[in-house]
Amino acid sequence: KQEVTQIPAALSVPEGENLVLNCSFTDSAIYNLQWFRQDPGKGLTSLLLIQSSQREQTSGRLNASLDKSSGRSTLYIAASQPGDSATYLCAAPFSGGYNKLIFGAGTRLAVHP
Amino acid sequence: EAGVTQFPSHSVIEKGQTVTLRCDPISGHDNLYWYRRVMGKEIKFLLHFVKESKQDESGMPNNRFLAERTGGTYSTLKVQPAELEDSGVYFCASSQEKGYNEQFFGPGTRLTVL
């Protein structure tokens, strides 16, 4: 069964801390992996997309890595800020599913001043 | 460039009524997707259009749900008749051309069935 799992479900950190969010997937035959941010009551904002041939992508203070062989992706947030507080979701299209995204349940992040 | 838009943002209806949700994708995006999140669960895929054709509708829960994309532009998702378990947030996304491209999501429509 094709599944995406995110750990931890929730995380609370003080401002300025570097942190890592984890995403694991059951099938290495993914075409890419996309990280999203969702603010309460809002839609999903695409943060980073890593193609299956890539190892990592960076955007500002965000760095996402992908290790297909181990079925893992991480989202690294440097120098966290209160404005980073949101739910972070990872999702991937698996082989045989065209571009249908399978989502994890998300990690709810709170960065406190 | 305008993003994906959805209408309405909220809808509250009685069980047995009909509701139609609308999605306008990013201009020029051939691919349009519908997803939903029901209470406490992960976001789940419903279906995928390529232009006006249904590429994959494997996630549609039952025949009370009907999606259309006339002319390959905006899409509608009709629920008729609505049931309590249809409550949730319905998201629309779009992506360019063919292949495994980045998907851009709309703000969602929150549907409450009473």
Side-chain angles (χ1 to χ4, degrees), chain A residues 11 13-19 21 36-40 47 61-62 75-88 107-112:
Chain A
L11 185 63
V13 300
E15 181 177 5
E17 192 162 299
N18 301 324
L19 55 99
L21 307 181
F36 296 90
R37 167 186 174 139
Q38 186 178 24
D39 293 282
L47 297 173
R61 294 182 295 108
L62 305 180
L75 179 67
Y76 175 83
I77 303 177
S80 58
Q81 303 170 358
D84 294 329
S85 299
T87 296
Y88 291 80
T107 293
R108 191 169 63 256
L109 173 66
V111 181
H112 49 88

Side-chain angles (χ1 to χ4, degrees), chain A residues 32 34 38 46 98-100, chain B residues 33 37 48 100 102-103:
Chain A
N32 58 52
Q34 201 165 349
Q38 186 178 24
S46 179
Y98 198 59
N99 205 18
K100 170 174 72 177
Chain B
Y33 312 83
R37 171 186 268 159
H48 171 201
Y100 299 90
E102 187 174 10
Q103 295 186 30

Side-chain angles (χ1 to χ4, degrees), chain A residues 4 16 24 27 32 39 48 54 58 67 73 79 81 83 98:
Chain A
V4 176
S24 61
D27 185 344
N32 58 52
D39 293 282
L48 290 163
Q54 297 176 315
T58 297
D67 184 344
S73 176
Q81 303 170 358
Y98 198 59

Side-chain angles (χ1 to χ4, degrees), chain A residues 91 99-103, chain B residues 6 32-37 43-48 77 89-94 103 105:
Chain A
N99 205 18
K100 170 174 72 177
L101 291 178
I102 307 294
F103 278 84
Chain B
Q6 294 186 244
L32 186 150
Y33 312 83
W34 284 98
Y35 295 85
R36 76 171 180 177
R37 171 186 268 159
I43 296 172
K44 297 285 191 185
F45 168 84
L46 295 177
L47 88 159
H48 171 201
L77 179 65
V89 181
Y90 290 75
F91 293 103
C92 176
S94 70
Q103 295 186 30
F105 279 71

Side-chain angles (χ1 to χ4, degrees), chain B residues 29-42:
Chain B
H29 281 193
D30 290 339
N31 296 280
L32 186 150
Y33 312 83
W34 284 98
Y35 295 85
R36 76 171 180 177
R37 171 186 268 159
V38 296
M39 184 65 72
K41 299 288 184 64
E42 292 90 345

Side-chain angles (χ1 to χ4, degrees), chain A residues 18-32:
Chain A
N18 301 324
L19 55 99
V20 174
L21 307 181
N22 296 295
C23 172
S24 61
F25 41 93
T26 53
D27 185 344
S28 63
I30 61 169
Y31 292 97
N32 58 52

